[in-house]
Amino acid sequence: MARIPVNPDGGEQRDGSKSREYKGIPLKANLSVCHASFSDADRPVYCCPAWKDADQTLLDFEFPDPSSPVRIRRPVHLVDEEFVAKYERAVAIMKQIPPDHPHNFWRQANMHCLYCTGAYDQANSSALFKIHRSWLFFPWHRAFIYFHERILGKFMGDDTFALPYWSWDTPEGMWFPDIYRKGALNETERDAIHLREPAVDDFDYVDHDLASDVQIADNLAFMYHQMISGAKKTELFMGCKLRSGVEGWCDGPGTIEAAPHNTLHSWVGNRYNPERENMGAFYSAARDEVFYAHHSNIDRMWTVWKKLHGNKPEFVDQEWLESEFTFYDENVRLRRIKVRDVLNIDKLRYQYEDIDMPWLAARPKPSVDPKIARNILKKRDGEGVLRMPGETDRSRVYEHGSWTLDKTITVRVDRPRINRTRQEKEEEEEILVVYGIDTKRSRFVKFDVFINAVEETVLSPKSREFAGTFVNLHHVSRTKSHEDGGEGSKMKSHLKLGISELLEDLEADEDDSIWVTLVPRGGTGVNTTVDGVRIDYMK
């Protein structure tokens, strides 16, 4: 047994400690210089356009005519053969037009590469402009698929065309969509093992080879956690507040971005490629047309979550609302679109066809009766120590200030506030923070977090003890350009998990401490270290 830091004031950057040279400045890309960037495994890539965007006329975004048809995005498993034929022809055209044209399929895919690998610096800063793992994730991808959809419709001559969505959150949609095995929609760089019939999507990506009905039940419980109990506050769902400049960096994806977003990207990507290309790596993900169906459903999750929260504004920070991106529209005009422009899909003239969402009623139950679990957990009491199976060297954690997730670890964490009233719980969510997460070799990393787990080896998202998951999609937290010291500017990540409802269900909301267990999955923890765990509160 070895003692570890469980409540130091550290881990992720905090506003109060930052030198905020660019405070209040919205984020945007410096289009005048596009440079070589780095893949998710820190390998050099080049995805800059042949047309230098800074030399093009940049126009402000204009909303579609309010009288124009509303595009209805339907579940991909419900579209008919006529739709698939039109869609496939349009993608085939997109793949055949000149490679330097902004509407070319690979040029479209490289738009994702540009903004995910740091090919552009931020305007007025040497910090890289990246849109993953923060509050920019949802708005950037909404804008991206919005323009992609309209370009395809232009090729078809159909101003009602709408991308289908892969409804992986429902039992009927939890298989890889068959239409993406056909013609121009097909892609060879996929995981043949996962895509065989009948392979149910694994949101938690543990590869337990569960029976279909068991995997579906796990997925529904997982969705309940990611959309409801673990996403009661905006930042938990949307991601951390990325600010301008290197000092404004943060690395904290929202619940849905972490999973199923990241996990399904890896689940589809080819396991025999270095970074599970294409879908399994940011730089190449959009080379697979199923990317757009996947992200249509991610976008739909945003609309569902917002409705569940009374359609209240996500954030009111001007830095977020005024942050901007650039895309070529269906008429090959370069458009500046701001976050505030994408917040209302009615104004963007598209909607989602409604379907049943059984995960709304899939609230997990404790795997062990809470009273029985409490008696078992009391036997662990004594010292607030980390328990690592087989670990006898007490000095290792003291020396390094962190521990390696090469095995399951458990730690007791004190709770600063107990006996909170119902109003206090509604105003402030109790947050479990796993901080100082360092993924050493930029590989796919995943670990699950459980609270008050008696036997973690038999637990899954279907268990109420499940608090959340950390997923690193071959990701490097490079924050500065290569020319300005990017190699030495990698930073650690953090994971914030909402646990108020979970503690109530475990009858632990009045306990002065909880037991937190981190379970690395698939041997991926050997390259991962964590600095500590603490409890915070979020308004």
Side-chain angles (χ1 to χ4, degrees):
M1 300 175 72
R3 188 179 300 276
I4 59 110
V6 294
N7 195 31
D9 184 18
E12 75 279 3
Q13 300 264 5
R14 294 188 176 192
D15 286 346
S17 64
K18 292 176 182 176
S19 165
R20 295 302 315 283
E21 180 181 356
Y22 302 102
K23 185 175 181 179
I25 299 177
L27 287 152
K28 63 179 180 179
N30 177 7
L31 300 180
S32 63
V33 179
C34 184
H35 48 69
S37 48
F38 293 86
S39 76
D40 313 310
D42 220 20
R43 293 185 297 138
V45 296
Y46 191 80
C47 42
C48 295
W51 299 7
K52 189 176 180 180
D53 288 348
D55 294 338
Q56 312 305 313
T57 300
L58 183 59
L59 303 173
D60 287 330
F61 175 73
E62 296 178 354
F63 288 105
D65 189 323
S67 64
S68 61
V70 175
R71 300 170 189 256
I72 306 298
R73 295 179 182 172
R74 303 191 65 215
V76 68
H77 66 276
L78 295 181
V79 298
D80 59 27
E81 292 184 4
E82 180 182 359
F83 174 92
V84 175
K86 289 173 58 178
Y87 182 21
E88 193 272 334
R89 282 197 300 271
V91 173
I93 293 171
M94 187 176 275
K95 290 182 175 182
Q96 293 167 2
I97 61 178
D100 62 344
H101 194 286
H103 289 175
N104 172 270
F105 181 82
W106 315 111
R107 184 70 252 143
Q108 285 279 294
N110 274 348
M111 288 297 295
H112 193 253
C113 180
L114 285 170
Y115 284 93
C116 300
T117 64
Y120 290 128
D121 292 347
Q122 296 175 17
N124 306 311
S125 170
S126 63
L128 300 180
F129 189 45
K130 293 185 176 183
I131 49 81
H132 280 97
R133 306 179 73 83
S134 77
W135 61 356
L136 294 184
F137 170 77
F138 279 106
W140 187 91
H141 285 88
R142 174 170 286 179
F144 183 38
I145 62 176
Y146 169 84
F147 287 110
H148 185 80
E149 177 177 78
R150 296 178 73 87
I151 291 168
L152 288 171
K154 183 81 170 183
F155 288 149
M156 298 177 191
D158 182 357
D159 62 1
T160 68
F161 171 76
L163 286 164
Y165 64 90
W166 178 8
S167 57
W168 33 250
D169 61 303
T170 67
E172 297 81 8
M174 288 183 186
W175 281 264
F176 185 83
D178 189 57
I179 75 167
Y180 293 100
R181 304 176 193 269
K182 302 175 181 178
L185 303 179
N186 191 26
E187 166 60 49
T188 59
E189 300 302 329
R190 293 174 180 156
D191 194 313
I193 296 176
H194 284 161
L195 271 57
R196 70 181 186 272
E197 296 291 349
V200 180
D201 309 338
D202 181 2
F203 294 174
D204 200 33
Y205 197 25
V206 180
D207 273 350
H208 281 322
D209 292 325
L210 301 175
S212 294
D213 58 338
V214 178
Q215 184 67 69
I216 288 171
D218 271 12
N219 287 351
L220 293 177
F222 191 89
M223 285 302 302
Y224 177 90
H225 179 275
Q226 301 297 84
M227 288 291 291
I228 299 179
S229 65
K232 291 186 180 297
K233 297 300 179 182
T234 302
E235 184 178 331
L236 294 176
F237 179 77
M238 296 290 293
C240 64
K241 294 184 176 184
L242 180 71
R243 311 288 189 178
S244 296
V246 174
E247 293 296 326
W249 168 90
C250 74
D251 187 343
T255 52
I256 290 295
E257 181 182 359
H261 169 260
N262 283 354
T263 47
L264 282 181
H265 266 284
S266 285
W267 190 82
V268 174
N270 189 342
R271 68 179 63 197
Y272 298 113
N273 287 336
E275 301 178 43
R276 296 192 73 99
E277 291 93 340
N278 282 327
M279 274 283 280
F282 285 150
Y283 84 93
S284 60
R287 297 175 185 175
D288 190 330
E289 185 64 21
V290 79
F291 170 96
Y292 299 94
H294 179 39
H295 272 277
S296 289
N297 205 43
I298 294 289
D299 184 69
R300 173 176 156 261
M301 290 299 100
W302 183 9
T303 69
V304 171
W305 181 87
K306 189 168 183 175
K307 186 176 181 180
L308 290 173
H309 288 259
N311 289 312
K312 297 177 182 177
E314 293 86 347
F315 301 102
V316 296
D317 308 58
Q318 290 300 306
E319 289 170 275
W320 185 66
L321 294 170
E322 292 296 317
S323 288
E324 63 184 58
F325 323 115
T326 55
F327 298 94
Y328 284 93
D329 67 13
E330 64 271 25
N331 297 310
V332 204
R333 296 174 298 195
L334 188 61
R335 293 287 188 178
R336 174 196 296 115
I337 187 168
K338 297 184 177 182
V339 168
R340 67 168 65 253
D341 295 328
V342 303
L343 300 181
N344 185 340
I345 66 171
D346 290 336
K347 295 176 70 174
L348 296 174
R349 306 300 290 167
Y350 74 88
Q351 291 290 335
Y352 289 97
E353 181 176 303
D354 290 335
I355 55 175
D356 290 337
M357 296 181 289
W359 52 263
L360 287 168
R363 185 169 180 162
K365 296 180 180 180
S367 64
V368 176
D369 181 277
K371 294 180 177 60
I372 297 175
R374 179 175 287 104
N375 289 330
I376 297 173
L377 293 171
K378 281 182 178 179
K379 297 178 181 179
R380 295 179 180 172
D381 281 350
E383 298 181 4
V385 295
L386 170 67
R387 180 176 62 87
M388 297 194 296
E391 179 63 58
T392 58
D393 183 2
R394 287 174 173 266
S395 65
R396 185 166 69 93
V397 175
Y398 274 123
E399 292 175 355
H400 300 288
S402 60
W403 72 94
T404 301
L405 294 184
D406 54 354
K407 55 176 71 79
T408 294
I409 59 175
T410 299
V411 62
R412 191 179 69 181
V413 181
D414 291 334
R415 298 175 61 219
R417 295 158 56 185
I418 59 176
N419 298 320
R420 295 197 299 154
T421 66
R422 173 59 56 187
Q423 181 177 349
E424 288 174 328
K425 292 178 182 178
E426 290 177 354
E427 291 176 352
E428 285 191 320
E429 177 75 1
E430 189 161 350
I431 306 295
L432 179 68
V433 183
V434 183
Y435 61 87
I437 304 169
D438 190 3
T439 52
K440 296 294 186 183
R441 296 186 181 178
S442 314
R443 295 179 177 176
F444 178 83
V445 170
K446 185 182 188 304
F447 64 84
D448 289 338
V449 183
F450 297 92
I451 290 179
N452 288 357
V454 173
E455 179 48 76
E456 66 276 352
T457 60
V458 299
L459 297 183
S460 73
K462 198 165 51 178
S463 309
R464 181 73 279 196
E465 292 87 348
F466 177 77
T469 189
F470 175 86
V471 182
N472 184 79
L473 188 64
H474 292 274
H475 170 73
V476 174
S477 294
R478 183 185 295 276
T479 62
K480 298 175 68 178
S481 69
H482 181 70
E483 293 80 2
D484 192 24
E487 182 61 31
S489 58
K490 301 173 185 177
M491 297 188 182
K492 297 180 180 181
S493 306
H494 66 275
L495 175 66
K496 293 182 178 181
L497 304 172
I499 60 173
S500 293
E501 181 182 292
L502 178 153
L503 293 178
E504 288 184 0
D505 289 351
L506 295 179
E507 299 179 13
D509 54 324
E510 296 183 4
D511 294 347
D512 57 8
S513 65
I514 56 176
W515 288 94
V516 176
T517 300
L518 308 183
V519 182
R521 298 300 191 183
T524 63
V526 293
N527 297 308
T528 306
T529 58
V530 174
D531 288 347
V533 184
R534 67 168 182 264
I535 296 290
D536 277 349
Y537 298 88
M538 180 182 293
K539 292 185 177 180

